[in-house]
Amino acid sequence: MLLRKDQLEASLHEEKKLIEDGRLKEDNPLDLSEGFNKLCEACRRGDLKLCQEMITAGTNINARDRFDYSPLILASLCGHYEVVQLLLESGALCERDTFQGERCLYNALNDRIRNLLLSYDYSKSSDPLQPFAAHITSLLTRDQPQTSDILVTAVGELFHLHKFVLSARSPYFRKKLAAAPESTSWKIPPAIPPQAFSIAMRYVYLGEIPSELGGGPGTGFSEDEVLEGIDKISRHLEIRSLWDTVLESDDRRLSRQRRTEEVEKGRSQLEEWFLNNVMKHKVITDRNRANEVKWNCNNGIFADVLLRADEPVEDIDTSTSDNSQTPPTQTTSASLNGIPIGPPSFPVLSHPPPDTRAPRKSTLFPVHRAMLLRSEFFLTMFSSGFREAQHHRHLQIIPIDCSPAVLDTILRFLYTEKADFPLEMAIEVLFAADLLLIDRLKQKAAVVISTLGSGTMPPSSDTDIVGASKPLLEEEEENIDIYDVIRAGWLTRVPRLEEFGARYLAYRLERYIDEEDFADLIRESAGRIRGRHETDSIELLDDIRYYLSERFRLRFEEMGMEEMMDEGGGGGGGGEVKEQEKDEEGMDVVGIEKLHISEPEKEADVIDGKGDGDPRHMEGMIRTLDGEIAGDEFASDALNYQILLGKIDKLLDRLKLDA
C-alpha cells in the first residue's frame, strides 16, 4: 500500500519524535568515535585483520560516518569481497527497502559483491543471535532428551521448565531458587490465566510474543483477563519489560527493536549467570583423581553433568644433571599442532628416566545438558541409551578431548553465543568444534584464522625498490603456520580455510616455493583425489595460480597495462621485452630490452661516480626475483609473475606430477 505525501510526512515526523524521545533507535546512527573511524578506514583499505579486531572490540558496524557512509557501503564500494562477507556475518544491515540498503546495493563495485548482499536477508543479517534465541525457546517444547528440572502448574496446565533459565532471567525465581534449590515443582496463583503464564514463559525463554494473546470463548478466560494476567505475572516475576513489549506489539519497528534489545539482554543475563555459577564453580584437580570427584545432582547451580578437560602433555624436563642423557622424544613428520601421531620413533627403554614434570591437571566444568544440546554430538549422546545419557545419584563425568582453555571457549559459545579467542588457539577450537559438531563455532574459528591471519598483502606493497618481495613483519610471520591451516581446512571440510591458505601462499609465494614443506603440501593435495589420473588438476595449485594472477594483475588493471604482462611472458633469465611502438603523441616508450642492453655500462658509471642522475640507475635499481635489472616496477612485476609460474612448473616436474 502506497502512502500519500501527507501520510509519509506524518510518519517521518512521528519517527523523528520517537528517536528524539529515546524510544526508538536509529538503524544507522552517526558515530564520530575513533574506533568507528578505524573500522571505516579498514573497510576502505580492505584490512580484514583490523576489521575483525574492531568488531570484536564492540564497534557498531551499522553506524555511519560524517560523510553518511556505513562500513558495509565503504567495503562494497571499494570492492573488498571478504570484508563485505565478514560484516554481513557479524550482523551488518542490508535491507533492500531502506535508503542505506539500496545505496549499498547500488554502489557495489561488482556483481559478485551485489549477489552476496542480496543473499543476506533481514532475518539473517540483522539478528546474529537468532540461532541462540531459537535454541532457548525450543527448550519449552523439547521432549527428548528430557532436560527440565522443575514442573510448574497453572490451572491444570503443566510447564516443564529449567531452573537455570528461570534464575538467570527472573529476579523472583532467582531469589526463590537460591533459598530452595532442591525445589522440583511450583504452582502459580489460580487468578492468573495459563495463557498469560505461557506468554510470560515464552518471553523468559527468548521467544517472540504472539500477536494473538489468547482467551475468548471456550478458553475459560476473556482476552481482557489474559491481558490483565500478563500485567500481574510481569510484576510478580519482576520482568516489567514483558508488559512494555506487549503494549508496543502493534508498531512493527518498535516491536522489532524491542525484540532485538530483549534477545541481547537475555544473552547478557545468561552470560552473567554462566560466569557467576558455571565458571566460578569449576574444579581443578590432579588428572589421576579427576574421576573421584563426586557432585550431588541436587546442587545450587542446577548442573546435571560434568565435562572434563585434561591439560596437554608437557615436554619432559631434562635439566636434572650435566651427565644425564637427553631422553628421546616422540616425533612426527609433519606439524600437527604438537599432537604426536603414530608409534614412537625411539626404542623402548628398560629403565626410563624419572619423570620430573608436575602432575597433569584436569578441569571439571559443571554444566547443563539443555545448553549442551546445541551440539549435535551431545544431542545424539543424550538421546541414546549410552551410560552418559542415564541419570545417577552423582553427576556423570564426560571427558572431552581438548585442553581446558578450548573447552572454556566452547562452553562460553554454547551459553552466550560469544566466541572471542586469540589466533593462537583458533586451530584447536576449530578441531574441537568439528569433533563436537558445532558448525557455527567452526565457522567462527575459520573467520578468526582467515581475518586475523592477514590473508592478503596490498598489491602496491608487493615489491621493494629492488624488485624483490618485501619481508613480512615479524609479528605476522609468527601468527600462523599456513601448512597447519590448510591441512586443518582439509580435515574439517571448511572451504574458507582452503581458499584463505591458497591466497596466503600466492601473495607470499617467493617465501614458500622453495621449501620442502611446500612440496609436501602439493603432493598431499594431489593425493586427495581418489584414483587420480595424470590429466587431473591439483586443486590447491589451481587456487594458488588464480590468486597469484590476481596479485600481479590488480595493479595492471588499475593502470590499463594488461598488455605488459603478456609482453613480459617471453622473458627468460634476463627478461627482455620488445620495444613498444610510439604512443599517440609520438613519444618513444622506453622498452626493457633497450634499457637492459645499456645497463652494465650505466651501472659502471654509477660506481665511478658518473651517470645521469636517474634514480633507476642509482642505488635503488629495480630488480626481479632472480636478481636481473628491470626497467620499472611494472616490468618487474610482469617478469616476477613468469618466474614464479616457472618455479611451479619445475616443482611439478620434480614431484613427477602433471597438473
Side-chain angles (χ1 to χ4, degrees):
M1 175 182 175
L2 294 177
L3 297 177
R4 299 193 309 271
K5 182 179 179 181
D6 59 313
Q7 292 175 319
L8 182 60
E9 290 176 346
S11 175
L12 292 173
H13 177 74
E14 182 181 356
E15 180 180 308
K16 183 178 179 181
K17 190 174 184 303
L18 288 172
I19 293 174
E20 291 174 350
D21 294 341
R23 294 182 59 197
L24 184 66
K25 293 183 180 179
E26 287 187 86
D27 287 336
N28 301 100
L30 180 65
D31 191 341
L32 301 178
S33 65
E34 181 181 355
F36 183 73
N37 288 334
K38 285 184 179 179
L39 175 60
C40 289
E41 183 60 30
C43 290
R44 289 189 185 93
R45 298 197 314 266
D47 190 336
L48 267 173
K49 181 177 180 180
L50 183 56
C51 285
Q52 176 67 36
E53 290 173 349
M54 299 312 300
I55 292 171
T56 303
T59 306
N60 184 1
I61 58 177
N62 286 311
R64 53 187 171 85
D65 63 11
R66 64 182 184 275
F67 302 111
D68 208 29
Y69 284 105
S70 68
L72 187 61
I73 292 177
L74 290 170
S76 303
L77 181 64
C78 297
H80 303 305
Y81 181 89
E82 289 81 8
V83 176
V84 173
Q85 186 179 37
L86 174 64
L87 292 170
L88 290 172
E89 290 174 347
S90 303
L93 287 169
C94 183
E95 291 188 80
R96 296 193 65 179
D97 296 334
T98 64
F99 175 67
Q100 293 287 5
E102 291 294 345
R103 280 183 69 199
C104 193
L105 289 167
Y106 180 79
N107 289 315
L109 186 65
N110 52 53
D111 288 339
R112 186 182 181 217
I113 292 177
R114 189 170 294 108
N115 291 334
L116 177 64
L117 294 169
L118 290 172
S119 68
Y120 275 75
D121 55 16
Y122 168 74
S123 62
K124 184 176 180 183
S125 63
S126 64
D127 195 359
L129 290 178
Q130 182 57 36
F132 174 77
H135 173 76
I136 300 295
T137 306
S138 72
L139 296 176
L140 283 172
T141 56
R142 186 186 293 275
D143 295 328
Q144 292 295 330
Q146 198 275 330
T147 58
S148 66
D149 52 7
I150 185 170
L151 184 65
V152 179
T153 307
V155 194
E157 292 195 24
L158 302 178
F159 296 86
H160 298 272
L161 304 177
H162 304 76
K163 295 179 188 178
F164 80 95
V165 176
L166 298 176
S167 180
R169 292 279 287 145
S170 167
Y172 170 82
F173 275 116
R174 186 179 307 123
K175 289 178 285 189
K176 285 289 185 182
L177 292 172
E182 72 282 356
S183 300
T184 57
S185 62
W186 185 67
K187 288 185 179 181
I188 66 170
I192 296 178
Q195 297 91 333
F197 185 75
S198 176
I199 289 173
M201 287 302 98
R202 187 167 179 82
Y203 175 82
V204 167
Y205 277 70
L206 305 182
E208 294 191 56
I209 303 300
S211 55
E212 297 293 334
L213 300 180
T219 63
F221 296 91
S222 66
E223 292 184 6
D224 290 340
E225 287 175 326
V226 172
L227 195 60
E228 184 181 352
I230 293 174
D231 183 28
K232 288 181 180 179
I233 198 67
S234 65
R235 284 188 277 109
H236 188 67
L237 300 182
E238 301 178 44
I239 47 174
R240 289 300 296 171
S241 52
L242 166 61
W243 181 245
D244 296 332
T245 301
V246 172
L247 294 180
E248 294 173 351
S249 59
D250 291 337
D251 189 309
R252 177 177 173 271
R253 187 171 177 186
L254 275 175
S255 178
R256 188 177 75 184
Q257 177 181 299
R258 173 75 67 174
R259 163 72 178 162
T260 302
E261 291 175 349
E262 195 56 42
V263 170
E264 177 58 37
K265 177 184 174 182
R267 187 206 61 77
S268 299
Q269 290 173 328
L270 284 167
E271 179 182 16
E272 181 182 1
W273 199 92
F274 167 77
L275 295 175
N276 292 334
N277 292 274
V278 174
M279 300 306 296
K280 187 177 179 180
H281 290 89
K282 67 182 180 181
V283 176
I284 302 177
T285 184
D286 290 344
R287 180 173 177 269
N288 55 3
R289 300 183 58 187
N291 288 331
E292 299 175 7
V293 174
K294 304 296 181 183
W295 197 305
N296 199 299
C297 289
N298 293 322
N299 54 81
I301 62 174
F302 324 119
D304 52 8
V305 69
L306 292 172
L307 295 187
R308 167 184 166 180
D310 300 333
E311 284 183 345
V313 180
E314 306 261 346
D315 292 334
I316 295 178
D317 184 4
T318 59
S319 58
T320 55
S321 67
D322 295 336
N323 299 327
S324 61
Q325 294 181 347
T326 302
T329 57
Q330 188 170 336
T331 61
T332 180
S333 58
S335 176
L336 293 172
N337 303 309
I339 304 175
I341 303 296
S345 60
F346 52 85
V348 178
L349 301 178
S350 57
H351 299 285
D355 192 346
T356 60
R357 296 172 294 181
R360 289 175 61 191
K361 298 291 184 179
S362 294
T363 304
L364 300 175
F365 296 87
V367 294
H368 307 84
R369 301 186 187 207
M371 297 308 296
L372 297 184
L373 296 185
R374 296 190 66 196
S375 158
E376 290 289 334
F377 176 88
F378 288 114
L379 176 60
T380 302
M381 174 185 289
F382 296 141
S383 300
S384 68
F386 297 139
R387 179 177 60 86
E388 291 82 358
Q390 310 305 316
H391 290 274
H392 300 273
R393 180 182 174 186
H394 297 100
L395 300 187
Q396 293 266 22
I397 298 178
I398 302 176
I400 305 298
D401 188 16
C402 65
S403 68
V406 172
L407 185 54
D408 182 307
T409 298
I410 291 171
L411 292 176
R412 287 175 188 272
F413 175 77
L414 294 178
Y415 275 86
T416 70
E417 195 69 15
K418 285 189 174 181
D420 300 332
F421 48 88
L423 179 62
E424 294 75 18
M425 194 192 295
I427 290 184
E428 293 181 78
V429 173
L430 177 74
F431 278 114
D434 185 61
L435 169 70
L436 300 177
L437 304 178
I438 309 174
D439 191 61
R440 283 177 61 81
L441 180 58
K442 191 163 74 168
Q443 296 304 323
K444 285 179 178 288
V447 168
V448 169
I449 294 171
S450 60
T451 54
L452 297 185
S454 302
T456 59
M457 183 188 295
S460 59
S461 61
D462 277 339
T463 53
D464 62 12
I465 58 173
V466 295
S469 178
K470 279 187 175 180
L472 299 173
L473 296 175
E474 291 184 5
E475 56 267 27
E476 183 183 344
E477 292 181 357
E478 298 299 326
N479 269 345
I480 57 174
D481 183 333
I482 193 60
Y483 302 127
D484 281 354
V485 170
I486 294 175
R487 290 186 176 101
W490 290 340
L491 291 172
T492 58
R493 304 166 304 283
V494 180
R496 183 179 194 138
L497 289 184
E498 297 180 42
E499 295 172 5
F500 160 73
R503 186 172 66 245
Y504 188 101
L505 288 173
Y507 276 78
R508 301 155 174 80
L509 190 58
E510 54 272 31
R511 259 193 75 203
Y512 293 96
I513 188 69
D514 296 322
E515 293 184 358
E516 191 59 34
D517 287 341
F518 182 82
D520 292 339
L521 193 70
I522 297 301
R523 191 182 290 110
E524 287 181 42
S525 180
R528 295 180 72 237
I529 305 176
R530 292 185 179 180
R532 185 178 186 278
H533 300 284
E534 291 186 355
T535 55
D536 289 335
S537 63
I538 300 174
E539 186 177 6
L540 175 61
L541 211 51
D542 288 344
D543 291 341
I544 290 176
R545 281 174 170 150
Y546 170 79
Y547 288 115
L548 187 65
S549 173
E550 176 188 76
R551 166 185 168 184
F552 284 101
R553 291 189 66 87
L554 280 175
R555 294 170 69 186
F556 294 113
E557 291 174 355
E558 292 173 1
M559 301 293 293
M561 302 185 68
E562 294 89 340
E563 294 181 359
M564 182 172 290
M565 187 174 293
D566 295 330
E567 292 174 356
E576 296 183 354
V577 179
K578 294 182 179 179
E579 182 177 352
Q580 299 180 359
E581 299 293 332
K582 292 184 178 181
D583 62 13
E584 295 178 355
E585 298 179 2
M587 297 178 63
D588 285 327
V589 180
V590 179
I592 296 180
E593 180 180 0
K594 181 184 297 184
L595 179 64
H596 180 72
I597 293 174
S598 57
E599 203 61 57
E601 299 175 3
K602 295 188 177 181
E603 192 170 350
D605 290 340
V606 172
I607 296 174
D608 294 337
K610 304 174 184 178
D612 55 6
D614 190 331
R616 291 178 302 176
H617 308 146
M618 304 295 288
E619 185 178 359
M621 286 178 286
I622 306 298
R623 295 181 181 272
T624 62
L625 290 173
D626 58 3
E628 295 293 333
I629 298 174
D632 52 40
E633 288 189 7
F634 294 106
S636 173
D637 282 347
L639 296 171
N640 287 339
Y641 176 64
Q642 296 300 327
I643 291 171
L644 292 174
L645 287 180
K647 287 193 173 187
I648 291 176
D649 292 337
K650 290 179 181 177
L651 175 63
L652 290 174
D653 291 339
R654 181 166 66 86
L655 298 177
K656 298 181 180 179
L657 295 172
D658 189 1

